[in-house]
Amino acid sequence: MWRTNLKVVGVVLGTLALYTLIANKIPQIQSEVPQSLSFGANVTSEQLVAAGDKLFNGAGGCTACHGLGTRAPNLVTDEKGAGPIGARCGKRETGKSCKQYLFESLDNPTAYVVAGYQPIMPRMTAQLSPPQIWSLIAFLESQGGTVDVTGSDIPAAATTSTTSTTGGGGLAGGSTDPKAIIAAAGCLGCHMLDGQGGKIAPDLTHVGARRSPDSIRKKILDPLSSIAKGYEKLAGVMPKSFGTMLTGAQLEALVRYLAAHR
């Protein structure tokens, strides 16, 4: 009997050791994730602007491109004599108010691309919750314009961020279907995969032929860990928050899926 028990204990310890080894091989990288927001119907413009300020200059990743004067238009400073974004957003597209234009820019960035710049911006409504989006719009309006975003602009059901997964279930409702994860993360806004998507970032159709699973995993968790040749100017565009937005199971499902694309 004691020999049988020892065998059982040995199998259990061996299994635990194997999983510990696998877990330790996954890079332990701290990803920055946009702070969850919750606003009531009586939220003030000052509160919205303050929240948007933190998002723009922090976890939103906006300053990776905006403000450099090369990748994307300046937003908080003058842009070619037209002033900051709040002073010019209402003049961009005929018939669109400032906040309508800004929402379109965040939801469908390729609908209107400012002359002289490439369509490299990802679809931010796939990465940020409605409260985050509208606080960001309020902040941008405050840059030389009038803030007219109110609590009524934020959908009543969207009281908190759905992109932060701290203690939650990840993107795409926690699904481990790689295609659902890719759609929810907005990957195809920049990357091409199996004939679909954008041409801003490297094509992922054969990514498994040039990157190992470990390299793919590290790139998702830490986008600046390696930069594909020819895409150096786009360094910093890919969000750094996927390590927090994805569950462990989703991350591994995505890595396996991409690694199989040879």
Side-chain angles (χ1 to χ4, degrees):
M1 178 66 72
W2 63 271
R3 289 183 179 178
T4 301
N5 290 339
L6 282 177
K7 288 181 180 179
V8 172
V9 171
V11 171
V12 171
L13 291 177
T15 302
L16 289 174
L18 176 61
Y19 278 102
T20 299
L21 177 63
I22 293 173
N24 287 334
K25 288 183 68 177
I26 299 176
Q28 302 300 303
I29 297 171
Q30 181 65 42
S31 294
E32 186 178 14
V33 67
Q35 181 182 5
S36 296
L37 298 178
S38 178
F39 296 126
N42 297 321
V43 62
T44 66
S45 59
E46 290 78 9
Q47 290 173 319
L48 287 165
V49 170
D53 186 350
K54 290 182 179 180
L55 193 59
F56 182 88
N57 290 295
C62 308
T63 55
C65 295
H66 294 287
L68 301 179
T70 53
R71 292 178 177 174
N74 294 320
L75 297 179
V76 299
T77 57
D78 178 68
E79 171 68 19
K80 300 177 181 177
I85 187 61
R88 64 181 192 266
C89 52
K91 306 173 185 176
R92 284 297 189 195
E93 294 187 70
T94 303
K96 280 192 172 67
S97 66
C98 178
K99 66 181 179 182
Q100 288 174 328
Y101 167 76
L102 291 174
F103 181 83
E104 178 188 68
S105 297
L106 295 167
D107 184 56
N108 184 16
T110 59
Y112 182 92
V113 180
V114 177
Y117 297 99
Q118 298 298 313
I120 64 173
M121 184 171 166
R123 183 171 173 255
M124 297 308 296
T125 50
Q127 301 175 19
L128 300 176
S129 69
Q132 291 168 334
I133 288 292
W134 286 102
S135 65
L136 190 54
I137 291 173
F139 169 72
L140 294 174
E141 283 189 323
S142 74
Q143 305 304 301
T146 301
V147 179
D148 62 354
V149 176
T150 67
S152 63
D153 289 307
I154 304 172
T159 56
T160 60
S161 168
T162 57
T163 57
S164 174
T165 62
T166 303
L171 288 173
S175 171
T176 54
D177 178 354
K179 292 184 179 180
I181 297 170
I182 288 171
C187 305
L188 299 187
C190 294
H191 295 281
M192 179 74 71
L193 180 63
D194 295 335
Q196 296 184 332
K199 298 181 180 180
I200 299 167
D203 192 320
L204 300 180
T205 303
H206 302 293
V207 65
R210 61 180 186 270
R211 283 185 181 271
S212 68
D214 283 345
S215 174
I216 293 171
R217 183 185 298 107
K218 188 172 184 180
K219 180 66 177 178
I220 293 171
L221 295 173
D222 181 13
L224 292 176
S225 62
S226 62
I227 307 300
K229 185 177 180 180
Y231 294 90
E232 293 83 359
K233 291 184 178 181
L234 298 177
V237 173
M238 182 173 169
K240 298 181 290 183
S241 55
F242 288 127
T244 308
M245 295 166 68
L246 299 170
T247 65
Q250 287 182 317
L251 174 62
E252 293 311 303
L254 186 57
V255 170
R256 290 193 298 271
Y257 179 72
L258 293 176
H261 275 72
R262 296 178 178 277

